[in-house]
Amino acid sequence: GFMAGYRTLFGDPLAKAIEPLVPITLTQPELVLPWPEGQGFYVSGGPHPAYADGSGWAAVDFCPPDVLGNCFYSNVPNTAAADGVIVTARPGEVQLDLDGDGHIQTGWVLLYMHVALDFDTPVQVGQQVKQGDVIGYASCEGGLSNSSHLHFSRRYNGEWIEAGGPVPLVLSGW
């Protein structure tokens, strides 16, 4: 049957199942605001879809003060909200894996969208970063945007975690 053929080609799909995907006792690791300490950004969008229509309302948007209402690259960096390993690094999108296993399907992963990579020293896939390290700069790259901003969201075990849900998004105590 179908499952026998699938297992022959790809292995048992249930062999690596994580149950439950989102435990009822889940707590967010400590995260800081994703920009340099002492710098101010504006909250420009409350909870909204994380990646595309139908994804959880896991994202919030922040605008840097130097390019409000424009699609220019900000001079104020976006930084790592926690220690981790870069698993995606392309213009417009960076993903930071907090458990360091390099898989976005396990543990906590932070998604930074509309991020221009640093032209001089861009982050690279596999790179270890520390909290506060530069990830990139707010821009309009990577999807629909009419003003430079950082679109920031979280996943746990591949599932979007809603910003205002049972495990609220908390950054530097906010």
Side-chain angles (χ1 to χ4, degrees):
F2 175 79
M3 284 308 294
Y6 186 95
R7 285 186 180 102
T8 300
L9 292 170
F10 307 109
D12 185 356
L14 302 177
K16 295 183 180 179
I18 300 171
E19 298 294 340
L21 275 177
V22 180
I24 196 152
T25 58
L26 182 65
T27 57
Q28 173 190 283
E30 184 179 332
L31 302 177
V32 298
L33 291 165
W35 52 79
E37 187 174 337
Q39 181 67 53
F41 272 54
Y42 297 94
V43 175
S44 61
H48 59 282
Y51 200 81
D53 291 341
S55 63
W57 282 46
V60 291
D61 289 346
F62 302 103
C63 287
D66 59 340
V67 291
L68 285 176
N70 295 297
C71 270
F72 298 111
Y73 295 143
S74 174
N75 289 315
V76 182
N78 295 129
T79 58
D83 296 351
V85 64
I86 302 294
V87 290
T88 303
R90 58 180 166 241
E93 180 180 349
V94 174
Q95 294 188 65
L96 178 60
D97 177 20
L98 303 189
D99 67 11
D101 69 359
H103 299 288
I104 62 172
Q105 304 89 342
T106 58
W108 285 98
V109 175
L110 306 179
L111 172 67
Y112 296 71
M113 289 290 295
H114 308 297
V115 175
L117 300 180
D118 187 324
F119 295 112
D120 296 324
T121 55
V123 291
Q124 303 288 319
V125 171
Q127 178 181 342
Q128 296 280 336
V129 296
K130 294 287 187 193
Q131 188 178 73
D133 287 352
V134 173
I135 296 290
Y137 296 84
S139 73
C140 288
E141 292 185 17
L144 182 61
S145 177
N146 57 13
S147 181
S148 294
H149 69 284
L150 168 64
H151 174 98
F152 185 83
S153 57
R154 314 164 293 165
R155 271 188 284 189
Y156 184 78
N157 287 343
E159 296 293 317
W160 295 111
I161 303 299
E162 295 191 9
V167 184
L169 175 62
V170 177
L171 300 167
S172 296
W174 291 81

